[in-house]
Amino acid sequence: MNLRVNPRALTGRLLLAGLAATLGGVLVALPAHAAAPAAVAPGAATSGAVAPRASLTSHAPVLVALSSGMDSVFSWDGASWAKIGGPAGIVVSGGGVVAVVRPETGDVYRWTGGTTWLRIGGPVRQLAIDDTGTIYAISADGQSVLQWLFGTSWGKIGGPAETIVAGGASTLIATDPVTGDVSRRGMNGWYRIGGPGREFAVDSEGWVYGISPDDWGVFKWSGAGTDWIRVGYRATSLTAGAMGTVVITNADTGSALRYSGSGTDWYYLGGYAIEFVVDGLGRIYSLGASSDRRISRSLGGGAWEQIGGPASWLAAS
C-alpha cells in the first residue's frame, strides 16, 4: 500500500494514535468515506471472485510508537509506555507481531518480548504483516515480494512491487511500480484487481479499500475481477484493521470518519491527525498533526484522550 507511497506498509497500513511528555527520549504517561470509476479500478476482470477470509483476532492488542527522534520504540500496555527497543526506520504490527527495519542497515528484526529482538533478514525497503502474524517485505531493489519463512530465510512470492499491504487472514496486495495497478495474491498466483489509487488498506475480514488518485472517492473492492463499489467521498488517508474497522481522513475538514459498513455512511470521529491505527480490539488511535505529535485514543462521539507523545510513527494490531 502507500498511489502515495507509504513505507509504513499499512497492516490492516496506514497505519495510521493520561497526557504524556518526552523525558530523555522516553514516552512517559502523565495523569490523566456505487460502482467505482476507472480512476480506481480500470480494465477488464482477470480473475473470478475471491472471498475475503475470516478475521483472526485471538492475540492481545498491540500499540507501539516510534519516538520523535526515531531512536526508541515503545509499547503501550493500556496505562503506560515502556521502551522495548530502537532505533527503527519502519515499525509494523499485525496479528500481535511487531517488526522493525533498522535505518542504518535495512535489516528486519522481530520483537520477541521485553526488550529482546531477533534479526530475521534484510535488507528490505518495506514491511507488512497480516492478521496471522505472517511477515512480508519488498526487497531492497524493489524487484521481489518476499515472505518470511524461518530464521533468516525468506521465500520469493512475487514482484516487482512499489508497495505492499497486508491484512485479514493471509490477505496481501501489491502495487505495480510502473503502472500503479493493484494486485491480490491468490491460491495460484497474483490477480490484478484494479488500477492506481492514492492509498490502499486491508481490513481484518480481508476486504480491500482504496482512495482514488484524485482523492475524490473511497472504494471497496467487490471481491470479483476489477469491480469496485463507492463507499465514501473525498479523503486524504485511509487505514483499516480489526472488527472490519475502516477510518479515513476527510479531505475537506481534516477530521477522522469511521465507516458504518453500509452504503456511503460514515461516523464522525474528529481528531485531526496525520495518522490513524487500529488495534486488535478495533480501538482507534491517532498521531497528531501539530508540532507536539501527541498520541491519542478515540473515545467515540468525537472525543479523544491524549495518552502519549511526541512520536514519529504508530503501529497497532
Side-chain angles (χ1 to χ4, degrees):
M1 46 14 223
N2 282 1
L3 179 109
R4 182 187 69 175
V5 176
N6 182 346
R8 300 167 192 252
L10 294 174
T11 58
R13 314 109 183 294
L14 202 245
L15 270 298
L16 359 251
L19 300 175
T22 295
L23 300 177
V26 177
L27 293 177
V28 180
L30 305 178
H33 295 39
V40 173
T46 58
S47 67
V50 179
R53 302 170 185 176
S55 171
L56 297 177
T57 55
S58 60
H59 62 85
V62 171
L63 174 64
V64 292
L66 181 61
S67 65
S68 57
M70 303 181 73
D71 55 353
S72 301
V73 180
F74 296 86
S75 176
W76 171 253
D77 65 4
S80 62
W81 294 91
K83 182 176 178 179
I84 60 173
I90 297 174
V91 181
V92 180
S93 182
V97 173
V98 177
V100 303
V101 176
R102 290 287 170 83
E104 68 276 12
T105 63
D107 285 349
V108 183
Y109 286 79
R110 183 180 186 275
W111 184 40
T112 58
T115 58
T116 305
W117 295 77
L118 179 67
R119 181 183 177 276
I120 61 173
V124 304
R125 65 165 57 175
Q126 189 180 355
L127 284 180
I129 309 176
D130 68 23
D131 284 8
T132 69
T134 302
I135 303 174
Y136 306 94
I138 298 179
S139 61
D141 61 6
Q143 295 303 300
S144 301
V145 177
L146 307 170
Q147 177 178 328
W148 179 56
L149 303 176
F150 56 87
T152 57
S153 297
W154 296 69
K156 180 175 180 177
I157 58 173
E162 180 67 22
T163 59
I164 53 175
V165 184
S170 303
T171 300
L172 180 66
I173 63 173
T175 60
D176 186 281
V178 177
T179 66
D181 289 352
V182 59
S183 296
R184 182 184 188 277
R185 188 187 182 204
M187 295 292 292
N188 299 306
W190 292 82
Y191 301 92
R192 178 179 176 274
I193 62 172
R198 174 185 173 89
E199 187 168 359
F200 296 100
V202 181
D203 72 10
S204 59
E205 310 299 326
W207 289 110
V208 182
Y209 294 82
I211 300 177
S212 60
D214 58 7
D215 299 343
W216 275 94
V218 182
F219 298 87
K220 177 181 179 180
W221 180 51
S222 69
T226 56
D227 296 329
W228 293 68
I229 303 166
R230 180 189 286 272
V231 297
Y233 299 93
R234 287 174 49 78
T236 57
S237 72
L238 169 70
T239 191
M243 312 298 185
T245 302
V246 181
V247 179
I248 62 170
T249 301
N250 183 275
D252 297 314
T253 66
S255 63
L257 302 174
R258 177 176 180 169
Y259 186 44
S260 69
S262 176
T264 56
D265 298 328
W266 294 76
Y267 300 120
Y268 174 76
L269 290 177
Y272 179 67
I274 61 172
E275 181 183 10
F276 296 93
V277 296
V278 182
D279 75 10
L281 294 179
R283 297 177 297 199
I284 301 167
Y285 301 85
S286 70
L287 179 61
S290 59
S291 59
D292 60 8
R293 305 299 290 274
R294 68 185 64 179
I295 304 168
S296 303
R297 58 185 169 193
S298 173
L299 302 179
W304 291 79
E305 177 186 24
Q306 189 174 347
I307 62 170
S312 60
W313 200 317
L314 296 180
S317 67

